[in-house]
Amino acid sequence: MKNVNSTCGLLIIIASLLIAGATAETQWFENFCRGNKNTTKLHFYVHDVRTGPNATLYTVANASITTTSPTGFGRINVFDDRVTAAPDIGSEEVARAQGTTTSVDLQVSAASMNLNFYLTSGKFNGSTVTIIGRNQFTLAQRELPVAGGSGAFRYARGYAITSSYSNDATTNYSVLEYTIYITTSTKC
Ligand SMILES: *[C@@H]1O[C@H](CO)[C@@H](O)[C@H](O)[C@H]1NC(C)=O
Ligand SMILES: *[C@@H]1O[C@H](CO)[C@@H](O)[C@H](O)[C@H]1NC(C)=O
Ligand SMILES: *[C@@H]1O[C@H](CO)[C@@H](O)[C@H](O)[C@H]1NC(C)=O
Ligand SMILES: *[C@@H]1O[C@H](CO)[C@@H](O)[C@H](O)[C@H]1NC(C)=O
Ligand SMILES: *[C@@H]1O[C@H](CO)[C@@H](O)[C@H](O)[C@H]1NC(C)=O
């Protein structure tokens, strides 16, 4: 019995430590080992402000078909969006999302992304993560490939899961949630 109790006690202590660890781990980046590979998880929010004095996303080109296309085919947007650790646009800025989107699907709303996350705080300040891929906006969750990176993320591979956190069609303001898993060639 004594052994069982001490085992239980140990399990409770481990469980408490795990819970405490989970609570403390509210930061927007995390390092862990996965199959002996150094993996970084990033989690943050991208702010698409499309009109007004604080706009960070602009349409730079339309095709002849764009205005009549149901999917806006051919439109090219360029952006330098604020990226924050929490959903509120006024919360801590951790990165900028810089790049272009091109509407590339005649059937459904989807873009080809050239997206560079330029980290501006934390231990990876100055490093970049590059995402290139097809983003189908009609899906609740989209998977995008991490094609590479610079600085701490040199030789990066991985993927991002993104979804719409909020969208206000009247004020032309959307918040996108990103969770990115980045594996570098460094062992840990
Ligand atoms: C633009 O940004 C400034 C500074 O963050 C803020 O005070 C202002 O309310 C914003 N304006 C709009 C229209 O969102
Ligand atoms: C592209 O088309 C949209 C919708 O008609 C229009 O609001 C925008 O000004 C156009 N932009 C350019 C750069 O042609
Ligand atoms: C990030 O790095 C830049 C350039 O080295 C520096 O100016 C800035 O203060 C750093 N930001 C933070 C939050 O550490
Ligand atoms: C690799 O692992 C070390 C130790 O866990 C960590 O300090 C470092 O930031 C990691 N590098 C990347 C790019 O995640
Ligand atoms: C939002 O965008 C639409 C279409 O471009 C435009 O007609 C409208 O004026 C914009 N709203 C605001 C608040 O700027």
Side-chain angles (χ1 to χ4, degrees):
M1 265 330 265
K2 193 162 178 277
N3 276 343
V4 172
N5 278 339
S6 61
T7 307
C8 281
L10 188 62
L11 285 177
I12 288 165
I13 289 166
I14 291 170
S16 313
L17 286 173
L18 285 175
I19 291 164
T23 319
E25 197 272 297
T26 49
Q27 60 177 359
W28 58 276
F29 62 84
E30 183 190 352
N31 277 113
F32 51 91
C33 286
R34 212 192 232 173
N36 205 28
K37 287 275 181 64
N38 201 347
T39 296
T40 305
K41 176 189 173 189
L42 303 177
H43 177 249
F44 41 46
Y45 299 85
V46 174
H47 301 271
D48 259 353
V49 182
R50 296 187 294 275
T51 52
N54 296 337
T56 57
L57 182 151
Y58 292 85
T59 298
V60 291
N62 294 317
S64 55
I65 192 184
T66 304
T67 47
T68 51
S69 162
T71 62
F73 185 82
R75 175 171 296 126
I76 299 178
N77 294 326
V78 59
F79 54 89
D80 178 6
D81 285 350
R82 183 176 169 87
V83 180
T84 56
D88 185 338
I89 194 168
S91 63
E92 184 203 2
E93 177 177 302
V94 296
R96 303 296 298 189
Q98 302 172 336
T100 54
T101 56
T102 308
S103 297
V104 288
D105 196 307
L106 289 161
Q107 309 298 328
V108 295
S109 180
S112 175
M113 311 280 292
N114 165 16
L115 170 56
N116 298 296
F117 282 105
Y118 171 47
L119 305 196
T120 55
S121 86
K123 67 190 279 198
F124 304 122
N125 185 11
S127 295
T128 65
V129 181
T130 296
I131 286 169
I132 299 174
R134 180 177 183 274
N135 193 352
Q136 183 173 328
F137 301 113
T138 56
L139 300 173
Q141 287 208 322
R142 285 94 66 179
E143 180 185 336
L144 298 167
V146 170
S150 70
F153 301 123
R154 194 182 279 184
Y155 292 117
R157 283 287 181 274
Y159 65 96
I161 300 295
T162 182
S163 59
S164 294
Y165 179 82
S166 65
N167 179 39
D168 189 330
T170 313
T171 58
N172 300 312
Y173 171 50
S174 336
V175 181
L176 301 148
E177 185 172 359
Y178 272 84
T179 306
I180 312 178
Y181 292 94
I182 306 156
T183 300
T184 50
S185 60
T186 46
K187 285 195 171 178
C188 58

